[in-house]
Amino acid sequence: MAMLHSAMSSGISPVSILTQTSFDPYEPVLRQALGDALRYLKEIEERAVRPDAAAVAQLEQMCGALPEWPEAPEAVLEELDTLGSPATVAKNNGRYFGFVNGGCLPAAMGAAWLVTAWDQNASFQVQSPVAAALEETALEWTRQMLGLPQGTGGAVVTGATMANFTALAAARHALYTRMGWDVENDGLMGAPELRVVVGEEAHPSLMKALGLLGMGRSRVVRVPVDGQGRMRADALPRMDERTILCLQAGNVNTGGFDPAAAIVPVARGAGAWVHVDGAFGLWAAASPQYRHLVQGFELADSWATDGHKWPNIGYDCGVALVREPAELRAAMSIDAPYLVMGRQREPADYTPEFSRRARGVELWAGLRSLGRQGMAQLVERTCAHARRFAEALHAAGFQILNEVAINQVLVSFGSKEKTLRTIARIQQDGTCWCGSTVWQGRTAMRISVSSWVTTEEDVERSLAAMIRVAREG
Ligand SMILES: *Cc1c(COP(=O)(O)O)cnc(C)c1O
């Protein structure tokens, strides 16, 4: 009763909050969300990419004590839009070049809304036939776009970190099974050792995945790399059937690819499991112009990639793929009396999660809207933008530190101090956003062109701002 009184005294009908009513409880809030979203997307075209300090300070108003009483959904959403929207980073406006962040394709965004309305639990066929079917299809389409072997299967997960984790769990299972050790049941205590080989410039999230799997973040053999971060094929250690070799397709700084064609046959010939971290780079396979870069990676045993990077699916979307899906299934599936399954693929048998949202549907929708040609164009367009950045910044007198093979550009504005100062001022200026990195000892600004939204005009506007700011300081 107290609850009802309070809600009434605050002018909110308790009935609409606490019980099902005859009118559609979703309609007002969904209409409001649509209006807010459309206005947001329009406004970020001209807003500074980075939110200002005042907008961030306002977040405090939403971070108070746990509310005691219910609030109307429309009021909750209004609070989110009024206080939350201004404190976002304008990711979908075409001039965000930080990390390797794509935008969100309209079809994927629309699908995400519908998927939320569906509220499917994408764990089993019986809970969601549509989620199960579209996840399987999206995995198959991904396999084809990446040029991977027929029969490859996997799982849609939250990102490349989890995709690395998932695929490497299959690797761990396969290698231990060959040694007669049941790693899922008996764990790693007392187990024979595996040896993990990675490149000197492997992504730190790969190390995290190895740590989570009990294989150790630093208990790895590191292979020397060249000036683009590519593993040196002549510097590989001896490998055997207890070895997991982790290659990289697309270094997060340079965009460089390990020489897979030279390495994978040797490693697999020695009995090693070859895994590929191809968070964004593997998608170069979609373009005839860039396909040569991924040659040889299709010979590996497992692959990790992201839907939310180059394909612009929106967060969160990663993909783990394994040549022998049975190895992944053995690592991930569980039995319970209430799990009586048919013969179809059960999503939860291939993922670390059990209950999960139907993110495979968004991947399906994004790939459905792009098609093979659309993905090829997205790759080619973003790479062309990256080349334009490199050429113009070089012409303006700044140093490009990498071979701009795909969509990543590393630029130095001079000394470490000058470069960091310039990056801070570019971020402050707000026309675009780029982050800093250290590439083989040199501080650099990293430009990653990964968004479908970015136009030539965005590139020219961003270049003008970068060059103006750099010359000022
Ligand atoms: C981004 C990236 C990752 C991590 O991916 P998340 O989706 O952020 O988990 C791993 N490896 C490489 C090469 C990357 O570029």
Side-chain angles (χ1 to χ4, degrees), residues 100 158-162 164 203-206 248-252 277-280 305-306 308-309 315 317-318:
V100 187
T158 51
T161 305
M162 279 309 289
N164 280 322
H203 197 275
S205 69
L206 180 80
Q248 185 165 255
N251 176 278
V252 76
D277 177 4
F280 61 102
T305 194
D306 263 324
H308 56 223
K309 285 181 176 168
Y315 297 94
C317 182

Side-chain angles (χ1 to χ4, degrees), residues 80-162:
L80 262 183
D81 187 44
T82 311
L83 298 171
S85 294
T88 57
V89 172
K91 294 287 294 295
N92 230 17
N93 84 347
R95 295 186 304 282
Y96 184 86
F97 306 109
F99 304 91
V100 187
N101 285 187
C104 184
L105 291 168
M109 196 181 290
W113 286 29
L114 193 55
V115 160
T116 302
W118 289 352
D119 193 29
Q120 300 291 279
N121 185 341
S123 51
F124 298 104
Q125 296 274 352
V126 71
Q127 283 179 305
S128 181
V130 63
L134 296 191
E135 173 168 341
E136 192 170 354
T137 303
L139 286 167
E140 171 60 14
W141 288 354
T142 300
R143 177 195 76 75
Q144 289 184 29
M145 285 233 199
L146 302 183
L148 303 180
Q150 260 189 346
T152 294
V156 179
V157 293
T158 51
T161 305
M162 279 309 289

